[in-house]
Amino acid sequence: MIPCLVNSLRRLAGWLLIVPLLCPAITAHAGLAIALNSADGTLSLIDTETYQVTGKVAVCKEPHHLMPTPDDKSLIVACAASNQLVFFDPNTGQEQKRIRNISDPYQLGFSPNRKWFVATSLRLDRVDLYNPNDFQLVARLPAPKTPSHMAFDNDSQFVFVTLQDSNEIMAISLGTQTIAWVIPVAATPAGIMMAPDNRHLLVACMGAGVVEVIEWRTRKSVMKIATGTAAHNLQPKGDGRHYYVSNRTIDGSISLLDTQTMTVVEKYEVPGGPDDMIVRADGKELWTTARFARKVQVLDLVTKKIKQSIAVGSSPHGVFFTNHAGLR
């Protein structure tokens, strides 16, 4: 009996060694998407394989934007009305920590060299510069009117901020923590990105329905590219060349901008007020929040059609998952 028992235990031990090897292949395929519902103050947790909402997490009052930390280990939610940052595990949706006394954070950004953390205060008309290691305030700069989105140059010398209600963009020198310049752009600038050439700023101007191209070193407008009514935000495709532009209206659309030719090469119908976007790592899907429809729309980039329409909370603003394409 003892030899039989020993053989059975050996066989069992062999199976136990095999099971852990099998499990990662199963669980790694699953993923979590997190959608921020600004009006509800919640996060919707979505299974990226089944497209089903699996839970909802309370956050704070008036969370408007979310962004990952540079290592993707945390997802930061900016709580404007409650003056704090809330960190979540992007793989589980579990809260990690809260940092308080961050005044009116609306949009967030880390400089490429990770030496600066910047928050715009849209309601209070100012931009705050923080030490990203301890989130202590370093400088607070007044902004002409309604600072919104931001972008950095590749060398982390400047942060560029759109000023929605004064139709301008502002450059802040990170080295001196001072305003370097302010220049006019088309009506109601919102999203802003640095082009891959590190020479041109791409500014989505809602009031004009264009992406305005700015040569930031000479402070000159190069061109205005019509993308669609209420051009609002930009998202890299991840190939170092193309950017998606959300045109945020009820009918809605998303344009694909080629930054080498500075032309719109494709356009997709995405109803419900498309806003913030993210692209799957395999390049097959674009996820976008639909602000006016209370949904997350999943665009199939192969068929160019809406693949899934996922009901979430009120005024969904941002969406994120770790299995994403490059963010530049």
Side-chain angles (χ1 to χ4, degrees), residues 35-36 273-276 287-291 295-297 316-319:
L36 174 61
D275 196 313
D276 290 350
W287 289 48
T288 180
T289 50
R291 291 289 298 278
K295 294 179 179 180
V296 170
Q297 307 281 35
H317 209 155
V319 61

Side-chain angles (χ1 to χ4, degrees), residues 274-288:
D275 196 313
D276 290 350
M277 302 162 282
I278 193 163
V279 183
R280 284 248 206 182
D282 61 10
K284 293 181 179 180
E285 290 178 355
L286 172 70
W287 289 48
T288 180

Side-chain angles (χ1 to χ4, degrees), residues 245-266:
V245 183
S246 58
N247 305 305
R248 199 180 70 178
T249 63
I250 288 291
D251 294 334
S253 65
I254 291 177
S255 303
L256 182 61
L257 175 65
D258 185 331
T259 62
Q260 290 188 8
T261 62
M262 291 299 180
T263 59
V264 172
V265 293
E266 289 185 352

Side-chain angles (χ1 to χ4, degrees), residues 17 31 67 109 120 149 198 238 263 281 287 322:
L17 288 173
M67 72 163 298
T120 61
H149 293 60
N198 196 40
T263 59
W287 289 48
T322 57

Side-chain angles (χ1 to χ4, degrees), residues 9-326:
L9 290 173
R10 285 175 176 170
R11 286 194 296 270
L12 177 60
W15 278 108
L16 289 174
L17 288 173
I18 292 172
V19 169
L21 296 176
L22 294 175
C23 290
I26 296 170
T27 57
H29 187 62
L32 177 70
I34 298 178
L36 174 61
N37 306 307
S38 289
D40 292 346
T42 63
L43 300 178
S44 291
L45 308 181
I46 307 167
D47 187 311
T48 59
E49 302 304 314
T50 65
Y51 306 99
Q52 298 297 309
V53 174
T54 59
K56 187 171 283 189
V57 179
V59 184
C60 59
K61 184 179 180 182
E62 287 192 34
H64 284 294
H65 285 98
L66 52 74
M67 72 163 298
T69 53
D71 58 10
D72 269 359
K73 291 183 178 180
S74 296
L75 185 66
I76 309 175
V77 175
C79 297
S82 52
N83 301 316
Q84 58 185 297
L85 305 176
V86 188
F87 290 63
F88 289 88
D89 185 324
N91 296 303
T92 66
Q94 295 293 313
E95 183 176 325
Q96 295 172 326
K97 64 179 179 180
R98 291 184 179 236
I99 297 179
R100 305 181 189 278
N101 300 318
I102 303 294
S103 178
D104 186 36
Y106 179 72
Q107 180 65 284
L108 312 172
F110 287 91
S111 62
N113 64 6
R114 305 188 187 186
K115 291 184 178 180
W116 295 98
F117 177 79
V118 182
T120 61
S121 295
L122 182 140
R123 176 172 55 89
L124 300 177
D125 294 334
R126 65 193 187 201
V127 178
D128 290 340
L129 309 181
Y130 294 89
N131 182 327
N133 298 312
D134 56 13
F135 291 92
Q136 293 299 305
L137 182 66
V138 177
R140 173 163 287 162
L141 304 174
K145 194 65 176 175
T146 321
S148 183
H149 293 60
M150 72 182 78
F152 297 86
D153 70 297
N154 292 354
D155 298 323
S156 301
Q157 293 181 326
F158 296 94
V159 59
F160 306 94
V161 179
T162 54
L163 305 169
Q164 284 194 16
D165 290 343
S166 60
N167 303 327
E168 297 169 310
I169 61 171
M170 177 173 68
I172 296 172
S173 168
L174 294 173
T176 62
Q177 299 96 57
T178 58
I179 297 173
W181 48 258
V182 179
I183 62 172
V185 292
T188 326
I192 184 170
M193 283 274 180
M194 180 65 69
D197 62 8
N198 196 40
R199 177 184 173 187
H200 296 101
L201 284 167
L202 308 174
V203 186
C205 299
M206 293 187 292
V210 302
V211 168
E212 187 161 0
V213 183
I214 304 293
E215 212 296 341
W216 62 270
R217 290 183 178 88
T218 60
R219 309 176 199 177
K220 293 182 179 179
S221 176
V222 177
M223 66 179 70
K224 296 181 176 71
I225 307 165
T227 62
T229 303
H232 178 72
N233 209 359
L234 300 111
Q235 177 69 28
K237 183 179 179 180
D239 62 357
R241 176 172 178 170
H242 296 88
Y243 287 72
Y244 293 100
V245 183
S246 58
N247 305 305
R248 199 180 70 178
T249 63
I250 288 291
D251 294 334
S253 65
I254 291 177
S255 303
L256 182 61
L257 175 65
D258 185 331
T259 62
Q260 290 188 8
T261 62
M262 291 299 180
T263 59
V264 172
V265 293
E266 289 185 352
K267 195 171 184 178
Y268 325 101
E269 295 181 4
V270 182
D275 196 313
D276 290 350
M277 302 162 282
I278 193 163
V279 183
R280 284 248 206 182
D282 61 10
K284 293 181 179 180
E285 290 178 355
L286 172 70
W287 289 48
T288 180
T289 50
R291 291 289 298 278
F292 311 138
R294 300 187 176 192
K295 294 179 179 180
V296 170
Q297 307 281 35
V298 181
L299 177 67
D300 188 318
L301 293 174
V302 177
T303 66
K304 321 296 184 185
K305 302 292 184 182
I306 296 294
K307 179 179 182 178
Q308 297 285 337
S309 189
I310 307 165
V312 288
S314 180
S315 192
H317 209 155
V319 61
F320 179 80
F321 43 72
T322 57
N323 184 33
H324 59 73

